[in-house]
Amino acid sequence: MTESTAVQEPMTTLLELLDLSEADGAQTDEEIFVGVSQKQPAQRVFGGQVLSQSLIAASRTVQTNRPVHSMHGYFLRPGDANQPITFGVQRLRDGRSFSARRTHAYQNGVPILSMIASFQIPDTGIEHQDAMPLDVPDPETLPSAADLLGGIDHPVAQSWAFGRPFDIRHIESDIYLKVDDNRAARQGVWIKTIGAMPDEPNLHRAALAYASDYTLLEPSLRRHGISWITKGLSIASLDHAMWWHRPVRVDEWLLYLTESPSASGARGLNTGKIFNRAGQLVASVAQEGMIRLPDATLA
């Protein structure tokens, strides 16, 4: 596979995922859209995929001058990565400045995700933000997943290395295969798409939702020395909330800082802040995930 092909295939897949069809005009009490699924080694739909597609479906029913500013979603069932997904959008409200939409993502006639998103006409008002840390290494100095995993002859490693449309570079050591002595419940990564994106604000915001699901649970895992290949690990996103504060481009480097303030009841809570290289806080996220391990591993 040439370098240009390795870049093009995941980017083509991402854009195809976000290009929903309108189901030949089919409607019930919802407006219906259909999206393809991205193949995965574990055959389960990636949570970020269904989040981003649900946002695109909702945005199709909102005036183009109202970008999404927040969404709250619950993952209800695992999705089958070998099947398409149907999205039903209900118009909850259209006010002077805000619009609200509820999206259900369906497979086999049952919802796999339920989400409510809010859209707003850009406005002015008070402004403040948390400061971006200054002592962060530049992404160009850090190894990519392809650098770390590209030489491993395993389908999961190859998928992480070459199958993702985003370049992900850990500031601390990664936890793909092992966790080093850094057991802090926090971490940082740089992220950006591996190719250029069209100039569509909602497409960039949806793609950021897609990428935000990659590493958001890692602080909970890192804190307890759990790598992604820990034997017997069972992990799943339970919910996902996101707020977009300022315009964002995902084809430029973004600093994604995450931490886990609590883990209990086989669940880990994780929160994140996303900054652009100019130091602007462009988005915030929160997610609780189910994290289960064999009793022997917990001992």
Side-chain angles (χ1 to χ4, degrees):
M1 180 183 294
T2 66
E3 182 178 354
S4 61
T5 302
V7 170
Q8 184 60 32
E9 287 183 356
M11 285 303 300
T12 299
T13 297
L14 176 63
L15 294 174
E16 287 176 349
L17 291 171
L18 299 179
D19 186 20
L20 306 184
S21 74
E22 298 189 1
D24 295 325
Q27 290 191 20
T28 58
D29 59 339
E30 302 173 318
E31 294 173 63
I32 305 299
F33 304 89
V34 178
V36 298
S37 290
Q38 181 180 16
K39 302 300 182 184
Q40 298 287 343
Q43 311 304 318
R44 289 174 55 174
V45 171
F46 170 52
Q49 173 201 312
V50 70
L51 281 171
S52 60
Q53 290 175 316
S54 295
L55 282 171
I56 290 294
S59 69
R60 292 276 188 89
T61 71
V62 179
Q63 297 173 24
T64 56
N65 65 339
R66 299 188 180 201
V68 63
H69 72 88
S70 70
M71 70 92 175
H72 301 261
Y74 278 92
F75 297 98
L76 303 176
R77 295 174 177 85
D80 183 348
N82 298 305
Q83 296 185 38
I85 304 174
T86 300
F87 299 89
V89 180
Q90 184 179 16
R91 300 184 184 223
L92 300 179
R93 179 178 184 269
D94 283 304
R96 289 186 301 174
S97 300
F98 291 86
S99 294
R101 298 291 187 266
R102 188 221 67 191
T103 304
H104 279 165
Y106 300 98
Q107 279 188 329
N108 300 315
V110 295
I112 62 173
L113 177 102
S114 180
M115 183 199 74
I116 290 181
S118 183
F119 301 75
Q120 182 195 13
I121 296 174
D123 204 349
T124 58
I126 61 171
E127 286 201 22
H128 69 269
Q129 68 162 72
D130 285 351
M132 175 178 166
L134 300 177
D135 57 344
V136 177
D138 292 331
E140 294 85 358
T141 68
L142 301 170
S144 67
D147 295 329
L148 297 168
L149 303 170
I152 300 176
D153 185 16
H154 189 280
V156 174
Q158 290 296 298
S159 177
W160 289 344
F162 302 115
R164 290 175 167 178
F166 277 82
D167 189 346
I168 302 171
R169 305 192 177 196
H170 284 75
I171 293 169
E172 300 84 4
S173 58
D174 66 274
I175 66 165
Y176 295 122
L177 308 179
K178 63 180 181 179
V179 182
D180 64 14
D181 293 336
N182 175 17
R183 300 293 174 86
R186 66 182 62 87
Q187 71 170 23
V189 297
W190 286 100
I191 59 172
K192 78 174 183 71
T193 55
I194 58 176
M197 289 280 289
D199 293 330
E200 299 177 27
N202 273 326
L203 198 63
H204 283 262
R205 295 189 181 209
L208 187 58
Y210 178 102
S212 70
D213 195 43
Y214 278 135
T215 61
L216 186 47
L217 294 181
E218 288 193 349
S220 288
L221 301 179
R222 182 184 294 276
R223 172 66 178 78
H224 296 274
I226 303 168
S227 75
W228 282 108
I229 64 167
T230 297
K231 187 176 181 179
L233 173 65
S234 178
I235 187 167
S237 302
L238 298 174
D239 58 9
H240 197 109
M242 191 162 184
W243 300 262
W244 291 263
H245 310 304
R246 294 168 179 85
V248 61
R249 291 197 65 94
V250 294
D251 50 8
E252 298 174 354
W253 284 113
L254 299 167
L255 177 63
Y256 189 16
L257 302 177
T258 53
E259 62 181 353
S260 176
S262 178
S264 63
R267 304 184 315 276
L269 175 65
N270 296 262
T271 62
K273 302 173 184 177
I274 303 174
F275 297 87
N276 62 22
R277 291 191 86 167
Q280 293 177 309
L281 180 64
V282 296
S284 300
V285 295
Q287 183 180 95
E288 193 170 45
M290 181 203 75
I291 302 171
R292 289 180 175 151
L293 291 160
D295 291 342
T297 307
L298 294 172

